[in-house]
Amino acid sequence: MRKANKSAWMDHLAITLGLRGALVRCVLLALILAQSQALAKPRIVALPFRSVNGLILVEAKVNGNPVNLVMDTGANHTIIDTRSSGLAPMPGFEAISKGAGISGNSVRTRVNLELGKQTWISQPVSVMKLEDLAQSLGMPFDGLLGQDILRQFRSIRIDFKAHVVELQQ
């Protein structure tokens, strides 16, 4: 009888371990499928904006400080005003408006940049004095959000009615 009990107990143990193994495999498969669905679903960074004089201003943070950046698809680089970067104003580093674009001397530096829930640590940006440009455009702003950041997204959708720019990754 002892052999029969031992055999039944071994059968019970084998079934229990087999069920647990199957359960573990099912859970792992579910996790893999959920992760692949999450990866397949595009992530959206939503940025509230306001439109001033036909320009789109998005809210951001530079080194933890709130700033307003003009979304500029024509700018190759993101440019931050000297006041917003924390650097002292430098003579000769004013933006000069030339037709459709701006030019001028700038300094390259790294900042922590936040757009919505997306953060770039030590992001290279150009720093120049933009006060004169802001005055000529008739609105205050702290910099230009350029292609170096915008290119990191798959698409950009502007919802004018909801006043939201959606950056899809």
Side-chain angles (χ1 to χ4, degrees):
M1 185 111 167
R2 204 171 217 174
K3 279 189 175 183
N5 284 343
K6 190 173 182 182
S7 177
W9 183 81
M10 292 295 276
D11 289 342
H12 175 70
L13 182 62
I15 291 170
T16 302
L17 290 177
L19 289 175
R20 283 187 183 163
L23 179 61
V24 168
R25 286 190 293 277
C26 286
V27 168
L28 287 175
L29 180 61
L31 287 173
I32 290 169
L33 290 174
Q35 187 176 13
S36 66
Q37 286 177 349
L39 291 174
K41 184 179 178 184
R43 215 174 116 220
I44 304 289
V45 176
L47 304 175
F49 79 87
R50 60 188 171 97
S51 181
V52 178
N53 298 335
L55 299 172
I56 293 174
L57 281 112
V58 295
E59 298 169 3
K61 287 187 178 180
V62 171
N63 295 332
N65 299 314
V67 294
N68 289 302
L69 303 177
V70 174
M71 198 167 97
D72 189 350
T73 59
N76 291 329
H77 301 284
T78 296
I79 303 171
I80 305 298
D81 185 72
T82 53
R83 294 171 292 131
S84 303
S85 71
L87 296 175
M90 299 153 281
F93 282 77
E94 290 83 16
I96 302 165
S97 181
K98 292 198 173 188
I102 63 168
S103 64
N105 296 320
S106 66
V107 172
R108 290 293 280 176
T109 190
R110 294 182 176 271
V111 298
N112 295 336
L113 177 66
E114 295 176 51
L115 290 173
K117 294 184 179 183
Q118 180 77 35
T119 301
W120 290 265
I121 304 297
S122 194
Q123 172 66 34
V125 297
S126 296
V127 174
M128 65 187 335
K129 233 176 119 180
L130 297 173
E131 291 173 20
D132 293 340
L133 180 62
Q135 194 171 27
S136 70
L137 292 174
M139 59 178 218
F141 63 91
D142 302 295
L144 306 173
L145 182 62
Q147 289 182 28
D148 55 342
I149 297 294
L150 298 174
R151 272 193 306 257
Q152 296 179 32
F153 296 92
R154 182 180 196 171
S155 67
I156 301 169
R157 182 176 171 269
I158 303 170
D159 185 338
F160 282 99
K161 289 187 180 183
H163 293 278
V164 174
V165 174
E166 294 177 346
L167 304 171
Q168 180 183 350
Q169 292 183 319

